[in-house]
Amino acid sequence: MRKSLTPTALPIMALVVLTACSSNSPSNQPSDAKAATPASKPLTAAAALTGITAAVPSAKKSGVVTADNDPNHLLGRPNQYTSKVTFEDTRIPGDQVSGTEKGDVERGGAIEVFGSPADAKARATYIQAITKSMPALAEYDYVHGTILVRVSHYLTPKQAAGYKSAADMLG
C-alpha cells in the first residue's frame, strides 16, 4: 500500500523542516564565543602606535595626519595610506633635529596604514628609492602587513630594531 501526501500536508512538512533548520536551534550555535564575534576591524595608525609605545616607551605621539594637514597629500588617495600618525623618540637629542618640524620622521618616525599589504610595501620601496641617494633623508622602514613603520635614521640600528620587533607583534 502506497501512502501519498495530501496538498495540506506539504506546507506543514515544510514548516517542520524549516523550524528544525532554523539558526535559533541550539545545534547551530557556535561552540565558543570567539567564533560568534565579528571579524576585527583593520588596525589604525593610532592603534598601531599604542601597541608600539608599549614596547618602545621612548616613542611619544606628536601628531595625527589628516587630509587638511598631510604634507604629502596622500591620505585617503588611491593606493595610499588610510591613516597616519607621527611620533618623537626621546632618545634623539633636540640639537640633532633642530630645523625640522613637528611630525618630521627625523624626530622619531611615522606609522602609515594602508588598505593592502602590497600598497604598504610599494610605499616603503618608493621611500627607500628616493632616500637612497640622500643620506640626510635616510630612514628605517618596516612593513608588517598593511602597516609601514618609518623610523628616524638618528636612531642606532639596535634602537630602530625595537620598532621592527614591536611592529611584528601588531595584529
Side-chain angles (χ1 to χ4, degrees):
M1 173 175 175
R2 197 173 143 188
K3 293 185 179 182
S4 62
L5 295 175
T6 64
T8 56
L10 286 175
I12 293 171
M13 296 259 321
L15 183 60
V16 170
V17 169
L18 288 175
T19 302
C21 295
S22 169
S23 64
N24 291 333
S25 169
S27 63
N28 289 341
Q29 295 298 320
S31 60
D32 61 284
K34 196 170 195 176
T37 59
S40 62
K41 292 181 182 179
L43 198 60
T44 64
L49 181 60
T50 299
I52 286 175
T53 58
V56 184
S58 57
K60 308 290 180 207
K61 183 164 80 172
S62 61
V64 175
V65 175
T66 66
D68 294 331
N69 69 9
D70 183 3
N72 300 312
H73 307 287
L74 298 176
L75 183 67
R77 305 302 197 281
N79 306 314
Q80 300 303 323
Y81 43 84
T82 57
S83 65
K84 179 178 179 178
V85 294
T86 59
F87 58 90
E88 294 183 5
D89 191 303
T90 57
R91 296 173 293 184
I92 299 172
D95 63 335
Q96 286 188 324
V97 292
S98 64
T100 61
E101 295 184 26
K102 182 179 178 180
D104 285 350
V105 171
E106 291 89 348
R107 291 177 169 252
I111 297 173
E112 300 172 352
V113 177
F114 294 81
S116 75
D119 291 341
K121 178 84 172 118
R123 172 80 165 145
T125 300
Y126 169 78
I127 291 168
Q128 288 299 306
I130 295 296
T131 62
K132 187 175 186 177
S133 62
M134 295 182 264
L137 298 178
E139 61 186 52
Y140 304 94
D141 293 328
Y142 304 114
V143 178
H144 178 77
T146 60
I147 301 166
L148 169 59
V149 180
R150 302 173 58 193
V151 180
S152 175
H153 72 276
Y154 286 113
L155 294 173
T156 67
K158 184 177 180 179
Q159 291 170 326
Y163 285 97
K164 180 183 184 326
S165 297
D168 288 344
M169 295 195 313
L170 296 173

